[in-house]
Amino acid sequence: MDPEVISNFLVEQREAAPENLQQNFLDIEDYWDRKLWHQLTDTLIAYYHDPASATQRLPLFRRFILSFAEKINQLKFVSLGLSAATQCSDDRERLTFLTDLTEKVDKPSSQDAYVYSLVAASEVKLRLQDYDGARKDLNKAESILDTFDSVETEVHASFYRTNASYYQGKHDFAAYYKNALLYLACIDLKTLSHDDAQARAYDLSVAALISDAIYNFGELLLHPILDSLTSTEHAWLRDLLFAFNRGDLVAYTVLEDNISKCPLLEEHKIFLWQKISLSALTEAVFRRPPHDRAMTFATIARETHVRPQEIEILIMKALSLGLVRGSIDQVAEIARINWVQPKVLDMKQIDNMRVRLKDWDSSVNQLGHWIEGVGKDVWAA
């Protein structure tokens, strides 16, 4: 493009810009004239981050930035393009814009920028309900990401966020849960607004509860995102998660009325009862010392509030899910458990473990004294 045309365009944009941003244009003109591409790129990124620049982002990108696109960092080029895309009139125009942007950075030397742009396009496709197209783009992006030794966290964050949105739309709650947590691991939580953090905590909590593949909530229970539900109208959901984690049937009964507030939880209400029954079973096993884990069906029924005729099915379900290991004596109606899946403990559970350790220490001392007494001179003190 003719340098004089660009210079005149920048003057027009400077005059049209808010007064407090006009200095940015003087810097932009200076860096462009001196071909200081790195400084120019950083100044443009800072300008685009200012909300007052919104109306000028698209024209600046189309008539100015594209003229030197190949001379700057391609990942930053895509970042500028994504900011400009927010000003498109609708998602269809935005998709066309992002598709063109993606084609421009589809080069061997800029595959990270290509993935970044491709994922942004797939996010728009999700909003347009083109799930097949979005899945195709996300699969391509994932295959490229797997070849990288390292990549900017913003690229991974974008991929995991969009992948989570895809699985949420498809009601694949286990995959959503995994990708949503990976997204949160890639960002600084302080960059999320309070409403966004609360919404993500809510969606993660619901996914953890209704997924038939998630029975250990440890990673979520320890994540600070969950604190955003505290002292809100959704605080009961956080309490419900902790009740499930410790297999607390009493707490579940108290919180049960809140389930109707969430259509997805209400839809899975029968499954939720089955799930907390399994949690109550694993908690009952965990509370017992290893030498006392042969439990009668009657004991399990009392601990889990499950009808006696359904106890065997409950134990078989726990065994098949890998929540416990052991065997069932159908004739004697006894379950012999030799292992239970580890999980995050609350303070009450930690205190119970402390008591068990004290009991174990006491029994070891008693055994030592008994051996010493019986062996007498044979045993060295």
Side-chain angles (χ1 to χ4, degrees):
M1 186 179 290
D2 188 343
E4 186 176 351
V5 174
I6 291 179
S7 183
N8 291 337
F9 171 73
L10 290 176
V11 171
E12 292 173 6
Q13 291 298 307
R14 170 160 50 85
E15 293 174 349
E19 187 175 346
N20 63 311
L21 293 180
Q22 290 184 1
Q23 178 59 45
N24 294 69
F25 273 96
L26 293 174
D27 294 335
I28 288 169
E29 291 174 53
D30 178 47
Y31 293 141
W32 173 73
D33 188 50
R34 295 161 60 192
K35 295 181 173 55
L36 298 176
W37 306 120
H38 175 72
Q39 292 87 336
L40 175 58
T41 305
D42 288 346
T43 302
L44 282 166
I45 287 176
Y47 179 73
Y48 270 50
H49 282 170
D50 193 310
S53 70
T55 57
Q56 293 180 298
R57 292 173 191 168
L58 265 179
L60 263 177
F61 188 85
R62 285 170 169 159
R63 298 183 58 184
F64 178 56
I65 295 173
L66 284 177
S67 68
F68 55 87
E70 294 186 358
K71 296 180 173 67
I72 65 175
N73 179 287
Q74 295 297 278
L75 194 58
K76 291 183 178 180
F77 169 61
V78 170
S79 294
L80 289 168
L82 299 187
S83 294
T86 61
Q87 300 308 304
C88 292
S89 59
D90 57 36
D91 277 335
R92 296 211 172 272
E93 181 188 347
R94 189 170 294 110
L95 181 58
T96 300
F97 177 89
L98 291 175
T99 301
D100 291 341
L101 178 64
T102 303
E103 291 174 356
K104 284 181 173 64
V105 294
D106 186 9
K107 295 172 288 188
S109 61
S110 57
Q111 287 296 283
D112 55 345
Y114 173 68
V115 168
Y116 197 24
S117 184
L118 186 65
V119 169
S122 70
E123 189 171 13
V124 177
K125 288 180 180 179
L126 286 178
R127 291 201 295 269
L128 292 171
Q129 302 297 306
D130 181 11
Y131 281 87
D132 291 340
R135 186 67 264 162
K136 182 179 178 181
D137 289 348
L138 288 169
N139 286 342
K140 185 185 296 184
E142 185 173 23
S143 66
I144 296 172
L145 281 172
D146 288 342
T147 66
F148 292 152
D149 292 328
S150 63
V151 69
E152 294 291 335
T153 54
E154 62 186 311
V155 179
H156 264 134
S158 174
F159 171 76
Y160 289 131
R161 184 188 67 246
T162 307
N163 215 25
S165 296
Y166 170 83
Y167 286 120
Q168 186 177 30
K170 286 293 188 178
H171 282 198
D172 187 341
F173 298 108
Y176 164 76
Y177 180 84
K178 173 187 174 183
N179 281 273
L181 283 175
L182 286 170
Y183 164 65
L184 293 177
C186 292
I187 65 168
D188 181 353
L189 290 182
K190 294 177 182 176
T191 61
L192 295 178
S193 68
H194 176 71
D195 289 344
D196 192 13
Q198 189 174 317
R200 292 190 180 282
Y202 180 90
D203 290 340
L204 271 167
S205 300
V206 172
L209 289 169
I210 63 180
S211 170
D212 60 1
I214 302 172
Y215 288 85
N216 191 331
F217 312 140
E219 194 171 358
L220 179 57
L221 295 178
L222 294 174
H223 203 291
I225 193 74
L226 205 58
D227 293 335
S228 62
L229 296 178
T230 305
S231 302
T232 70
E233 61 179 324
H234 304 306
W236 62 270
L237 191 55
R238 182 180 183 276
D239 296 337
L240 189 61
L241 272 175
F242 278 95
F244 265 78
N245 185 63
R246 62 179 182 267
D248 192 337
L249 294 168
V250 174
Y252 176 80
T253 302
V254 172
L255 296 166
E256 189 176 11
D257 290 342
N258 292 292
I259 289 176
S260 60
K261 297 177 183 177
C262 175
L264 272 175
L265 291 180
E266 181 67 23
E267 183 182 335
H268 292 80
K269 196 169 183 178
I270 295 176
F271 171 73
L272 288 176
W273 173 252
Q274 295 170 346
K275 194 167 187 175
I276 199 167
S277 298
L278 286 167
S279 184
L281 171 62
T282 58
E283 179 64 18
V285 175
F286 180 78
R287 285 199 303 265
R288 286 169 167 73
H291 63 271
D292 185 27
R293 288 183 173 173
M295 304 171 64
T296 65
F297 285 12
T299 300
I300 295 174
R302 185 171 63 254
E303 295 276 1
T304 62
H305 298 183
V306 172
R307 291 179 294 183
Q309 61 268 32
E310 296 176 356
I311 292 300
E312 189 174 344
I313 296 174
L314 178 71
I315 301 169
M316 291 174 66
K317 181 73 172 177
L319 290 168
S320 67
L321 290 169
L323 302 179
V324 297
R325 294 174 190 162
S327 60
I328 303 174
D329 186 333
Q330 294 174 306
V331 177
E333 294 191 338
I334 293 175
R336 294 181 173 85
I337 309 299
N338 52 45
W339 179 88
V340 61
Q341 185 185 75
K343 59 182 177 180
V344 171
L345 306 180
D346 60 22
M347 294 306 294
K348 183 178 179 181
Q349 290 170 309
I350 291 173
D351 186 60
N352 289 337
M353 180 171 282
R354 181 186 63 83
V355 172
R356 283 171 50 192
L357 286 171
K358 287 181 66 177
D359 292 342
W360 174 79
D361 182 61
S362 176
S363 64
V364 169
N365 283 332
Q366 289 176 6
L367 179 61
H369 292 318
W370 178 82
I371 292 175
E372 187 177 347
V374 172
K376 296 182 179 179
D377 295 338
V378 175
W379 302 101

